[in-house]
Amino acid sequence: AERQVSLPEKKRFKYYTRVATWLSPCSKFSLKDAQALLGTLNHCCLVIPLGRAHLYHLQRFAKAFHPSSSPFLKHKVSSTLQSELRWWLTTLSSPPPRSIASPPVPLPVPIFVYASTSWGIGILISNNWAAFQFRPTFLSPLRNIGFAEMLAVEFAVNILIAQFPSHSHFLIYSDNQG
């Protein structure tokens, strides 16, 4: 009736225990161990989407194994990975349910964003517009057109947050695939 999903209690306890074993002092784990835990926590991310941001150090741990290394090779857990796993323990101890309700109908507000490497960013919301010209040194190999296009979306979202009530739903139109 509430259109929510959550991890069943039995699975939640199983996953909690699996994570907790990684926090034992002086423990070392293999690539196979890391892959198993990654699979478990990826599964949890279906219900706990914020967890995706807390898999980075576990993924780095798994990548640290050379493809030709022995399957019996084990590595020690870093302090950054331990911190990430403590987040998982806290979250798995009482994970919030996830809503699976349909999003609300988008508000009928036309929103368009555009980015150009030769000029900058343009935003149109209803009949209001804003334009931001890039400095000559703004673009670089790390800040390319994809970066500029997402920056245009971020600017539009910040404007929408300031002007509309929370939990509003919008469609933002752009001419890019980013």
Side-chain angles (χ1 to χ4, degrees):
E2 296 168 355
R3 295 184 181 189
Q4 294 180 335
V5 294
S6 60
L7 291 171
E9 192 67 29
K10 187 176 176 181
K11 276 192 177 185
R12 193 169 59 80
F13 180 73
K14 178 181 170 183
Y15 298 161
Y16 181 95
T17 304
R18 189 171 292 169
V19 171
T21 61
W22 278 65
L23 292 172
S24 302
C26 301
S27 293
K28 292 184 176 185
F29 297 92
S30 68
L31 173 60
K32 186 176 178 181
D33 298 328
Q35 290 170 332
L37 186 59
L38 263 171
T40 296
L41 297 179
N42 268 321
H43 174 74
C44 291
C45 288
L46 295 170
V47 178
I48 308 168
L50 186 58
R52 291 182 196 113
H54 297 275
L55 293 176
Y56 176 76
H57 294 288
L58 182 56
Q59 290 168 341
R60 284 191 62 190
F61 180 88
K63 286 181 183 178
F65 290 89
H66 193 273
S68 63
S69 63
S70 165
F72 303 106
L73 179 67
K74 295 185 176 191
H75 289 247
K76 190 175 178 187
V77 177
S78 68
S79 60
T80 53
L81 176 52
Q82 287 177 349
S83 177
E84 193 172 76
L85 294 173
R86 280 192 289 277
W87 180 91
W88 275 103
L89 281 184
T90 302
T91 302
L92 288 170
S93 65
S94 59
R98 179 176 183 190
S99 172
I100 56 171
S102 299
V105 175
L107 293 175
V109 176
I111 305 163
F112 296 89
V113 297
Y114 181 78
S116 163
T117 55
S118 64
W119 198 85
I121 292 172
I123 301 169
L124 176 70
I125 300 175
S126 293
N127 291 323
N128 301 308
W129 63 273
F132 305 91
Q133 189 171 15
F134 293 143
R135 290 183 178 164
T137 58
F138 176 77
L139 295 174
S140 69
L142 295 176
R143 290 190 300 215
N144 55 20
I145 187 63
F147 179 85
E149 289 166 345
M150 286 312 302
L151 197 57
V153 171
E154 183 177 354
F155 284 6
V157 168
N158 285 330
I159 293 167
L160 294 169
I161 288 170
Q163 292 183 353
F164 292 91
S166 62
H167 304 292
S168 296
H169 188 77
F170 299 96
L171 290 178
I172 299 177
Y173 296 94
S174 176
D175 71 340
N176 67 73
Q177 294 180 10

